[in-house]
Amino acid sequence: MRIRPEKVAHLMRREVAEILQQRLRDPRVTAMVSVTDVEVTQDLSFAKIYVSIMGPPDEVAATLKALGHAVGFVRHELGSRLGLRDVPDLRFIHDESLERGARVEELLKRIQDGKPVEDEEIE
């Protein structure tokens, strides 16, 4: 029986979020990290894990680097939790969509309040 990649991605998203919140004890991960999406290839050999990281840019970069170093631990945890014969190779990717959405919301609020918005703020 073949496992659907969408089902594995859904399960991985939930489990990786829990692993990062409950099990990962890396002091370099100081920012708040949320798993926003997981994409798995059709052959289940590779998975992109999109994470939203809240914090200043240097903290975001350090956290992303720490997550890259924690891939082995996360894969080990996923293997026991999901019962997969082969756990996909993982790559953590910074998802900036939440930050962009918050920025758009802030700009719309400024426009609604009648405050000027400079061209540099829009980019």
Side-chain angles (χ1 to χ4, degrees):
M1 184 169 142
R2 187 170 154 86
I3 300 173
R4 292 191 347 225
E6 298 84 19
K7 182 176 181 180
V8 172
H10 175 72
L11 293 172
M12 282 182 68
R13 180 177 180 224
R14 186 184 68 210
E15 294 298 332
V16 169
E18 186 176 316
I19 291 167
L20 295 181
Q21 290 176 356
Q22 306 294 325
R23 303 274 300 139
L24 186 63
R25 300 284 181 242
D26 191 328
R28 296 173 295 177
V29 180
T30 57
M32 188 177 126
V33 179
S34 301
V35 178
T36 57
D37 195 17
V38 174
E39 291 179 359
V40 181
T41 57
Q42 288 293 323
D43 62 358
L44 303 177
S45 64
F46 185 76
K48 294 179 185 177
I49 302 172
Y50 293 92
V51 291
S52 175
I53 305 170
M54 299 303 222
D58 58 332
E59 202 172 293
V60 169
T63 299
L64 201 54
K65 187 174 182 179
L67 290 174
H69 287 279
V71 163
F73 173 75
V74 174
R75 284 188 75 209
H76 175 75
E77 288 287 316
L78 281 174
S80 62
R81 290 172 180 231
L82 297 180
L84 294 175
R85 189 176 342 170
D86 294 316
V87 178
D89 289 329
L90 308 177
R91 181 181 301 155
F92 287 98
I93 299 172
H94 184 217
D95 183 359
E96 298 176 352
S97 62
L98 293 178
E99 290 91 356
R100 280 195 308 265
R103 181 71 182 132
V104 167
E105 209 170 292
E106 176 187 332
L107 290 171
L108 290 173
K109 175 113 175 79
R110 288 184 71 181
I111 291 169
Q112 182 180 9
D113 293 343
K115 296 178 183 174
V117 177
E118 301 297 324
D119 286 341
E120 295 85 41
E121 293 182 66
I122 297 173
E123 294 176 24

Coordinates of all heavy atoms in Angstrom, one line a residue, residues 74-122:
V74 N 15.7 15.8 14.5 CA 14.3 15.8 14.1 C 13.9 14.6 13.3 O 12.9 14.0 13.5 CB 14.0 17.2 13.3 CG1 12.6 17.2 12.8 CG2 14.2 18.4 14.2
R75 N 14.8 14.2 12.4 CA 14.6 13.0 11.6 C 14.4 11.7 12.5 O 13.5 10.9 12.3 CB 15.7 12.8 10.6 CG 15.6 13.7 9.4 CD 16.6 13.3 8.3 NE 16.1 12.1 7.7 CZ 16.9 11.2 7.1 NH1 18.2 11.3 7.1 NH2 16.4 10.2 6.5
H76 N 15.3 11.6 13.5 CA 15.2 10.5 14.4 C 13.9 10.5 15.1 O 13.2 9.4 15.2 CB 16.4 10.6 15.4 CG 16.3 9.5 16.4 ND1 16.7 8.2 16.2 CD2 16.0 9.6 17.7 CE1 16.5 7.5 17.3 NE2 16.1 8.3 18.3
E77 N 13.5 11.6 15.6 CA 12.2 11.7 16.3 C 11.0 11.4 15.4 O 10.1 10.7 15.8 CB 12.0 13.2 16.9 CG 12.9 13.5 18.1 CD 12.4 12.7 19.4 OE1 11.2 12.7 19.6 OE2 13.3 12.2 20.1
L78 N 11.1 11.9 14.2 CA 10.0 11.6 13.2 C 9.9 10.1 12.9 O 8.8 9.6 12.7 CB 10.2 12.4 11.9 CG 9.8 13.9 11.9 CD1 10.2 14.5 10.6 CD2 8.3 14.0 12.2
G79 N 11.1 9.5 12.8 CA 11.1 8.1 12.5 C 10.3 7.3 13.5 O 9.5 6.4 13.1
S80 N 10.5 7.6 14.8 CA 9.8 6.8 15.8 C 8.3 7.2 15.9 O 7.5 6.4 16.2 CB 10.5 6.9 17.1 OG 10.5 8.3 17.6
R81 N 8.0 8.5 15.6 CA 6.6 8.9 15.8 C 5.8 8.5 14.6 O 4.6 8.2 14.8 CB 6.6 10.4 15.9 CG 7.2 10.9 17.2 CD 7.3 12.4 17.2 NE 7.8 12.9 18.4 CZ 7.3 13.9 19.1 NH1 6.2 14.5 18.7 NH2 7.8 14.3 20.2
L82 N 6.3 8.6 13.4 CA 5.5 8.3 12.2 C 5.5 6.8 11.7 O 4.7 6.4 10.9 CB 5.9 9.2 11.0 CG 5.8 10.7 11.2 CD1 6.2 11.5 10.0 CD2 4.3 11.1 11.6
G83 N 6.5 6.1 12.2 CA 6.6 4.7 11.8 C 7.0 4.5 10.4 O 6.6 3.5 9.8
L84 N 7.7 5.4 9.8 CA 8.1 5.3 8.4 C 9.4 4.5 8.3 O 10.2 4.6 9.1 CB 8.3 6.7 7.8 CG 7.1 7.6 7.6 CD1 7.6 9.0 7.1 CD2 6.1 7.0 6.6
R85 N 9.4 3.7 7.2 CA 10.7 2.9 7.0 C 11.8 3.8 6.8 O 12.9 3.7 7.3 CB 10.5 1.9 5.9 CG 11.6 0.9 5.7 CD 11.3 -0.1 4.6 NE 9.9 -0.1 4.3 CZ 9.4 -0.8 3.2 NH1 10.3 -1.4 2.5 NH2 8.2 -0.8 2.9
D86 N 11.6 4.8 5.9 CA 12.6 5.8 5.5 C 12.1 7.1 5.8 O 11.0 7.5 5.2 CB 13.1 5.7 4.1 CG 13.8 4.3 3.8 OD1 14.6 4.0 4.6 OD2 13.5 3.7 2.7
V87 N 12.7 7.9 6.6 CA 12.3 9.3 6.9 C 12.9 10.2 5.8 O 14.1 10.1 5.5 CB 12.7 9.7 8.3 CG1 12.3 11.2 8.6 CG2 12.1 8.8 9.4
P88 N 12.1 11.1 5.3 CA 12.6 12.0 4.2 C 13.8 12.8 4.7 O 13.8 13.1 5.9 CB 11.4 12.9 3.9 CG 10.2 12.1 4.4 CD 10.7 11.3 5.5
D89 N 14.7 13.2 3.8 CA 15.7 14.2 4.1 C 14.9 15.5 4.4 O 14.0 15.8 3.6 CB 16.7 14.4 3.0 CG 17.6 13.2 2.9 OD1 17.9 12.5 3.9 OD2 18.0 12.9 1.8
L90 N 15.4 16.3 5.4 CA 14.7 17.5 5.7 C 15.5 18.7 5.4 O 16.7 18.7 5.5 CB 14.4 17.5 7.2 CG 13.6 16.3 7.8 CD1 13.5 16.4 9.3 CD2 12.3 16.1 7.1
R91 N 14.8 19.8 5.0 CA 15.4 21.1 4.9 C 14.4 22.1 5.5 O 13.2 22.2 5.1 CB 15.6 21.4 3.4 CG 16.3 22.8 3.3 CD 16.5 23.3 1.9 NE 17.4 22.3 1.2 CZ 17.4 22.2 -0.1 NH1 16.6 22.9 -0.9 NH2 18.2 21.3 -0.7
F92 N 14.9 22.9 6.4 CA 14.1 24.0 7.0 C 14.3 25.2 6.1 O 15.4 25.7 5.8 CB 14.6 24.3 8.4 CG 14.2 23.2 9.4 CD1 15.1 22.2 9.8 CD2 12.9 23.2 9.9 CE1 14.7 21.2 10.7 CE2 12.5 22.2 10.8 CZ 13.4 21.2 11.2
I93 N 13.2 25.9 5.8 CA 13.1 27.1 4.9 C 12.3 28.1 5.7 O 11.2 27.9 6.2 CB 12.5 26.7 3.6 CG1 13.3 25.7 2.9 CG2 12.4 28.0 2.7 CD1 12.7 25.2 1.6
H94 N 12.9 29.3 5.7 CA 12.3 30.4 6.4 C 11.1 30.9 5.6 O 11.2 31.3 4.4 CB 13.2 31.6 6.6 CG 12.7 32.7 7.4 ND1 13.0 34.0 7.1 CD2 11.8 32.8 8.4 CE1 12.3 34.8 7.9 NE2 11.6 34.1 8.7
D95 N 9.9 30.9 6.2 CA 8.7 31.4 5.5 C 8.4 32.8 6.0 O 8.1 33.0 7.2 CB 7.5 30.4 5.9 CG 6.2 30.8 5.2 OD1 6.2 31.8 4.4 OD2 5.2 30.1 5.4
E96 N 8.5 33.7 5.1 CA 8.3 35.2 5.5 C 6.9 35.6 5.3 O 6.6 36.8 5.4 CB 9.3 36.0 4.7 CG 10.7 35.7 4.9 CD 11.7 36.5 4.0 OE1 11.2 37.2 3.1 OE2 12.9 36.5 4.3
S97 N 6.0 34.8 4.9 CA 4.6 35.2 4.6 C 3.9 35.8 5.8 O 3.1 36.8 5.6 CB 3.8 34.0 4.1 OG 3.6 33.0 5.0
L98 N 4.1 35.4 7.0 CA 3.4 36.0 8.1 C 4.0 37.4 8.4 O 3.2 38.3 8.7 CB 3.7 35.1 9.4 CG 3.0 33.7 9.4 CD1 3.3 33.0 10.7 CD2 1.5 33.9 9.2
E99 N 5.3 37.6 8.2 CA 5.9 38.9 8.4 C 5.3 39.9 7.3 O 5.0 41.0 7.6 CB 7.4 38.9 8.4 CG 8.0 38.2 9.6 CD 8.2 36.7 9.4 OE1 7.8 36.2 8.3 OE2 8.8 36.1 10.3
R100 N 5.3 39.4 6.1 CA 4.8 40.2 5.0 C 3.3 40.6 5.2 O 2.9 41.7 5.0 CB 4.9 39.5 3.7 CG 6.3 39.6 3.1 CD 6.4 39.2 1.6 NE 5.7 37.9 1.4 CZ 6.4 36.8 1.3 NH1 7.7 36.8 1.4 NH2 5.7 35.7 1.0
G101 N 2.5 39.6 5.7 CA 1.1 39.8 6.0 C 0.9 40.9 7.1 O 0.1 41.8 7.0
A102 N 1.8 40.8 8.1 CA 1.7 41.8 9.2 C 2.1 43.2 8.7 O 1.5 44.2 9.1 CB 2.6 41.4 10.4
R103 N 3.1 43.2 7.8 CA 3.5 44.5 7.3 C 2.4 45.1 6.4 O 2.2 46.3 6.5 CB 4.8 44.3 6.4 CG 5.3 45.5 5.8 CD 5.9 46.4 6.9 NE 6.4 47.6 6.3 CZ 6.2 48.8 6.7 NH1 5.5 49.0 7.8 NH2 6.6 49.9 6.1
V104 N 1.8 44.3 5.6 CA 0.7 44.8 4.7 C -0.5 45.3 5.6 O -1.1 46.4 5.4 CB 0.1 43.7 3.8 CG1 -1.2 44.1 3.1 CG2 1.2 43.4 2.7
E105 N -0.8 44.6 6.7 CA -1.8 45.0 7.6 C -1.5 46.3 8.3 O -2.3 47.2 8.4 CB -2.0 43.9 8.7 CG -3.4 43.8 9.2 CD -3.6 42.6 10.1 OE1 -3.5 41.5 9.5 OE2 -3.7 42.8 11.3
E106 N -0.2 46.5 8.6 CA 0.2 47.7 9.2 C 0.1 48.9 8.3 O -0.4 50.0 8.6 CB 1.7 47.6 9.7 CG 2.3 48.9 10.2 CD 3.8 48.7 10.5 OE1 4.2 47.6 10.7 OE2 4.5 49.7 10.4
L107 N 0.5 48.7 7.0 CA 0.4 49.7 6.0 C -1.1 50.1 5.7 O -1.4 51.3 5.6 CB 1.1 49.3 4.7 CG 2.6 49.2 4.7 CD1 3.1 48.6 3.5 CD2 3.2 50.6 5.0
L108 N -2.0 49.1 5.7 CA -3.4 49.4 5.4 C -4.0 50.2 6.6 O -4.8 51.1 6.4 CB -4.2 48.1 5.2 CG -3.9 47.4 3.9 CD1 -4.6 46.0 3.9 CD2 -4.3 48.2 2.7
K109 N -3.6 49.8 7.8 CA -4.1 50.6 9.0 C -3.6 52.0 8.9 O -4.4 52.9 9.3 CB -3.5 49.9 10.3 CG -3.9 50.6 11.5 CD -4.8 49.8 12.4 CE -5.1 50.4 13.7 NZ -6.0 51.5 13.7
R110 N -2.4 52.3 8.5 CA -1.9 53.6 8.4 C -2.6 54.4 7.4 O -3.0 55.6 7.6 CB -0.4 53.6 8.1 CG 0.5 53.2 9.2 CD 1.9 53.3 9.0 NE 2.3 54.7 8.9 CZ 3.5 55.1 8.7 NH1 4.4 54.3 8.4 NH2 3.7 56.4 8.7
I111 N -3.0 53.7 6.2 CA -3.7 54.4 5.2 C -5.1 54.7 5.7 O -5.7 55.8 5.5 CB -3.8 53.5 3.9 CG1 -2.4 53.5 3.3 CG2 -4.8 54.0 2.9 CD1 -2.3 52.4 2.2
Q112 N -5.7 53.8 6.4 CA -7.1 54.0 7.0 C -7.1 55.1 8.0 O -8.1 55.9 8.0 CB -7.5 52.7 7.6 CG -9.0 52.7 8.2 CD -9.4 51.4 8.8 OE1 -8.5 50.5 9.0 NE2 -10.6 51.3 9.2
D113 N -6.0 55.3 8.7 CA -6.0 56.3 9.7 C -5.6 57.7 9.1 O -5.5 58.7 9.8 CB -5.0 56.0 10.8 CG -5.4 54.8 11.7 OD1 -6.6 54.5 11.6 OD2 -4.6 54.2 12.4
G114 N -5.3 57.7 7.8 CA -5.0 58.9 7.1 C -3.5 59.3 7.3 O -3.2 60.5 7.0
K115 N -2.7 58.4 7.7 CA -1.3 58.7 7.8 C -0.6 58.5 6.5 O -0.9 57.6 5.7 CB -0.6 57.8 8.9 CG -1.2 58.1 10.3 CD -0.6 57.2 11.3 CE -1.3 57.4 12.7 NZ -0.8 56.5 13.7
P116 N 0.5 59.3 6.2 CA 1.2 59.1 4.9 C 2.0 57.8 5.0 O 2.5 57.3 6.0 CB 2.1 60.3 4.9 CG 2.3 60.7 6.3 CD 1.0 60.3 7.0
V117 N 2.1 57.2 3.8 CA 2.9 56.0 3.6 C 4.0 56.3 2.5 O 3.6 56.7 1.4 CB 2.1 54.8 3.1 CG1 2.9 53.6 2.9 CG2 1.0 54.5 4.2
E118 N 5.2 56.2 2.9 CA 6.3 56.5 1.9 C 6.5 55.3 1.0 O 6.3 54.2 1.4 CB 7.6 56.8 2.7 CG 7.5 58.0 3.7 CD 7.2 59.3 3.0 OE1 7.7 59.6 1.9 OE2 6.4 60.1 3.5
D119 N 7.1 55.6 -0.2 CA 7.4 54.6 -1.1 C 8.3 53.5 -0.6 O 8.2 52.3 -0.9 CB 8.0 55.1 -2.4 CG 6.9 55.8 -3.3 OD1 5.7 55.6 -3.1 OD2 7.3 56.6 -4.2
E120 N 9.3 53.9 0.2 CA 10.3 53.0 0.8 C 9.6 52.0 1.7 O 10.1 50.9 1.9 CB 11.4 53.8 1.6 CG 12.3 54.7 0.7 CD 11.6 56.0 0.5 OE1 11.1 56.6 1.5 OE2 11.7 56.5 -0.6
E121 N 8.5 52.4 2.4 CA 7.8 51.5 3.3 C 7.1 50.4 2.6 O 6.8 49.4 3.2 CB 6.8 52.4 4.2 CG 7.5 53.3 5.1 CD 6.4 54.1 5.9 OE1 5.8 53.4 6.8 OE2 6.3 55.3 5.8
I122 N 6.7 50.6 1.4 CA 5.9 49.7 0.6 C 6.7 48.5 0.2 O 6.3 47.4 0.1 CB 5.2 50.4 -0.6 CG1 4.3 51.4 0.0 CG2 4.5 49.3 -1.4 CD1 3.6 52.2 -1.1

